[in-house]
Amino acid sequence: MKYLIDVGSSTVKIYTHDGVRVKLIKAKTFDFKDEFDSAIGLSSLNKENMYSFFNETIEELSLTRSNTKLFATGIFRELTNKQAFIEEFYTMTRLFFNIVSHELEAFYLEKAWIGNCDYKNKLVIINIGGKTTELIFYNNGFVTERKMLSLGVGTILKKYNAINEEYSPTPLSEVVEYISNMLPFVDRRYDTAIYTGGELTYMNVAGYYLEKNNIFDDENHPSMITIDNYCIQNKRIFSEITIADLRNMMPNNPAWMNGARACSAIAQAICMQYGINKIIPSDSNLIDGINVQEVKNVVICGSFNKQLDKITKLIGVLKTQGITVDSPLNTEVVGSEKGFILFKNDKIINRCTWSVEALHLKAIETCDMIIVCNFDKYVGTKTSLEIGYAYKCGKKIVFLYDNETVDDFDIPSEIGLLRETNLNEGE
C-alpha cells in the first residue's frame, strides 16, 4: 500500500493507492494563503499547524519515504526559495515535498481525463485551486488549448473579503463580472465542462439539482447539471444559505466550505464566458492523473558497467507506461573509454568522457525527475555526482529500491516508483 498526498493552497488530501485505484481517506483544510509571503513562506501559525497535522498523520499511517509520494501545487510554486522549504519539510517529516509545476499539474489533469470516456465533442476541463486555475480545452478527443491562470479562490476572497459573512453582502453577479474580465479570450464555444476537484461531492451535499449524465457513460461521472440550474443554486449559496449551514454540510472538513462561494463564482464566470451549457461535476484531480502516469520525462542514473541489463529492462518498462526517458536515449553499446560505457550516438572528444557525461547532466536540468538505479545495493561515483547535480537543480530524486545505499544519501527524495517495475533486484 502506498499513500499519495495532494497539498494545495487550502487543502491537504491523503489517498491510498493499492496498485490500481486511489481512494481518499483523509482531508484537512488550512488557510495557507493567510499571511503567505513568497520570500518568507507560510505564516508561523500555518507552518505550526501543518507540521502538527503531518506528524500526527505520519504516526497514524506510518508514512515513510518508501510508501509516500507528495504533490504540492498552488502557492508553494510562488516560494522564492523552494529548496529551503523542501529541506525544512524533509527535516521535520522525513518526506519529500514535491512542488509540481503548473505545466505538470495540467499534464496530470489531462491524464486523469483522457481515455476515461469516448466523448468527442468540444469540452473544457475546469480545475480551480486556491491560487491558480487550469483550463484544458478539448475538441474531438484532442487538447486544443491550455490556459494556466493566476486566479483562484484566494484571489476572490482577497478582493471580496466579506464574501464569507453569514450571507454575502456582495451579489454573485458582481463577483462573476469581476472574474469574467480576467478570463482569456478563446475563439471557440464549448458546450460541456468537466468541473473537477471534489465538485461532485460538493454539489450533492449542497443541494444542486443534478440530473443523470446523458452525455457519456462513466461510473465516476454519473451526474450533470445545466448552466441555468447551476446559476440558480449558486445565487442561493450566496444569499439564502448561511455560511454556517454550508460548513455543516461537510462535518468532516467544514473549513473546505470557506471556498465554496468564491469557487462557484469562478466556475460560473468561466462557463458563461465560453458558452458552456452543461456541467459534469467530478471528484477527480491531479492524483487521478498521477495514478495513470507518475511523471512525464525522466533521466536514468546508475552504473551502466554493472547494471546495464536491468537498466535496459527498466527503460522498456517506463516506456510502456508512457514515460519518456531523456537520457540515456538508448543502451546500444558501441564501445568504452577508460571503463566508461559508450552508447550509439555518443560523441566523445579527445578521449574525454566528460563530453558524454555533460550531456547526461544537461538532460537532468530539463527532466521532471531522476531515477537512481541502486540495484544490488550499489551506487557508483558518477551516479553520486548525478544525484548531487539533480539536487542542486531542484529535481525530484527517486531511489529505485529501499536498501542500505539510501542511508548514504539522507537528502530530500523518494524511494520506489508508483507502479511495479518487476526487475527482480538481487537476482
Side-chain angles (χ1 to χ4, degrees):
M1 178 72 72
K2 287 187 180 290
Y3 296 94
L4 304 179
I5 303 178
D6 175 6
V7 183
S9 299
S10 304
T11 305
V12 178
K13 297 178 182 177
I14 300 177
Y15 299 78
T16 56
H17 182 268
D18 63 5
V20 179
R21 296 181 179 274
V22 293
K23 179 182 178 182
L24 178 66
I25 60 169
K26 190 173 184 178
K28 176 76 172 178
T29 294
F30 297 86
D31 193 4
F32 289 143
K33 302 178 295 298
D34 184 40
E35 298 183 17
F36 175 83
D37 185 282
S38 59
I40 299 171
L42 301 181
S43 68
S44 298
L45 179 60
N46 270 327
K47 189 178 288 187
E48 180 182 342
N49 289 338
M50 179 186 70
Y51 285 134
S52 177
F53 170 79
F54 268 99
N55 287 322
E56 170 192 306
T57 306
I58 287 167
E59 183 173 352
E60 174 191 349
L61 301 176
S62 299
L63 305 182
T64 65
R65 275 197 291 170
S66 60
N67 69 8
T68 304
K69 291 180 178 288
L70 183 153
F71 303 84
T73 57
I75 61 171
F76 297 101
R77 286 193 284 254
E78 299 178 12
L79 290 169
T80 302
N81 193 339
K82 296 182 180 68
Q83 201 73 350
F85 182 81
I86 291 169
E87 290 170 358
E88 177 187 309
F89 189 89
Y90 178 74
T91 302
M92 297 295 291
T93 68
R94 310 300 288 170
L95 300 177
F96 176 55
F97 198 86
N98 175 30
I99 301 176
V100 176
S101 70
H102 217 157
E103 293 73 21
L104 188 54
E105 182 178 11
F107 170 81
Y108 288 140
L109 293 172
E110 291 173 27
K111 283 293 178 179
W113 170 250
I114 291 176
N116 284 344
C117 83
D118 58 0
Y119 185 69
K120 298 299 184 183
N121 294 332
K122 293 191 286 291
L123 64 84
V124 57
I125 294 178
I126 302 170
N127 184 67
I128 301 169
K131 287 284 286 186
T132 60
T133 293
E134 292 78 40
L135 302 177
I136 304 172
F137 297 89
Y138 286 83
N139 186 22
N140 199 30
F142 295 95
V143 176
T144 56
E145 291 187 79
R146 300 177 181 90
K147 301 294 184 183
M148 308 292 110
L149 312 181
S150 297
L151 163 68
V153 170
T155 314
I156 305 308
L157 295 180
K158 184 176 181 180
K159 171 70 175 178
Y160 300 101
N161 53 22
I163 200 174
N164 277 339
E165 291 183 3
E166 182 178 17
Y167 301 102
S168 173
T170 307
L172 171 62
S173 57
E174 180 180 331
V175 183
V176 168
E177 182 179 2
Y178 169 74
I179 297 165
S180 297
N181 291 328
M182 303 172 67
L183 296 176
F185 172 78
V186 173
D187 62 0
R188 301 184 188 186
R189 308 295 281 174
Y190 290 79
D191 181 69
T192 304
I194 312 293
Y195 184 12
T196 67
E199 293 307 312
L200 178 59
T201 296
Y202 164 68
M203 289 192 199
N204 271 311
V205 301
Y208 284 77
Y209 181 68
L210 298 178
E211 307 171 48
K212 184 181 185 301
N213 178 5
N214 59 17
I215 300 174
F216 56 84
D217 185 19
D218 176 22
E219 64 178 7
N220 294 320
H221 300 90
S223 305
M224 56 169 280
I225 187 170
T226 65
I227 186 64
D228 290 340
N229 285 330
Y230 183 66
C231 293
I232 288 170
Q233 187 62 5
N234 282 351
K235 188 173 181 180
R236 291 189 65 236
I237 294 293
F238 263 67
S239 59
E240 298 179 28
I241 300 175
T242 68
I243 192 68
D245 285 340
L246 279 174
R247 291 168 181 156
N248 288 336
M249 292 173 185
M250 202 168 283
N252 292 332
N253 190 23
W256 192 90
M257 286 294 193
N258 293 343
R261 288 172 177 165
C263 205
S264 298
I266 296 172
Q268 182 171 321
I270 291 169
C271 290
M272 295 175 69
Q273 180 88 349
Y274 303 124
I276 292 163
N277 294 309
K278 299 170 186 175
I279 302 169
I280 299 170
S282 172
D283 283 344
S284 67
N285 62 11
L286 85 165
I287 293 296
D288 296 278
I290 290 161
N291 184 41
V292 175
Q293 184 174 324
E294 182 174 354
V295 74
K296 284 172 63 178
N297 59 326
V298 301
V299 167
I300 307 297
C301 300
S303 172
F304 298 130
N305 269 312
K306 297 177 181 290
Q307 305 167 343
L308 183 59
D309 287 346
K310 290 180 179 178
I311 289 175
T312 300
K313 186 185 289 187
L314 171 64
I315 291 172
V317 171
L318 294 174
K319 288 181 177 179
T320 64
Q321 296 175 5
I323 297 171
T324 300
V325 178
D326 288 346
S327 184
L329 294 176
N330 68 84
T331 56
E332 182 181 338
V333 178
V334 295
S336 66
E337 182 68 39
K338 302 174 185 175
F340 189 92
I341 293 291
L342 298 176
F343 296 133
K344 183 180 179 181
N345 298 324
D346 281 346
K347 294 181 180 179
I348 188 166
I349 301 171
N350 293 331
R351 301 186 64 190
C352 177
T353 60
W354 179 253
S355 59
V356 178
E357 179 66 20
L359 292 177
H360 193 65
L361 297 180
K362 191 71 175 176
I364 289 175
E365 295 176 8
T366 56
C367 73
D368 292 323
M369 76 181 193
I370 72 163
I371 299 175
V372 180
C373 296
N374 54 338
F375 295 108
D376 307 316
K377 306 173 186 178
Y378 177 80
V379 173
T381 304
K382 281 278 174 59
T383 303
S384 298
L385 165 70
E386 291 156 8
I387 292 170
Y389 191 76
Y391 182 71
K392 179 182 181 298
C393 293
K395 297 299 175 179
K396 181 177 179 178
I397 300 167
V398 178
F399 292 88
L400 199 54
Y401 294 105
D402 189 2
N403 57 39
E404 292 92 305
T405 56
V406 175
D407 296 333
D408 297 330
F409 297 93
D410 192 8
I411 59 175
S413 57
E414 293 177 357
I415 303 170
L417 300 175
L418 187 59
R419 295 200 175 277
E420 181 60 54
T421 52
N422 294 318
L423 299 177
N424 301 316
E425 184 196 15
E427 286 192 359

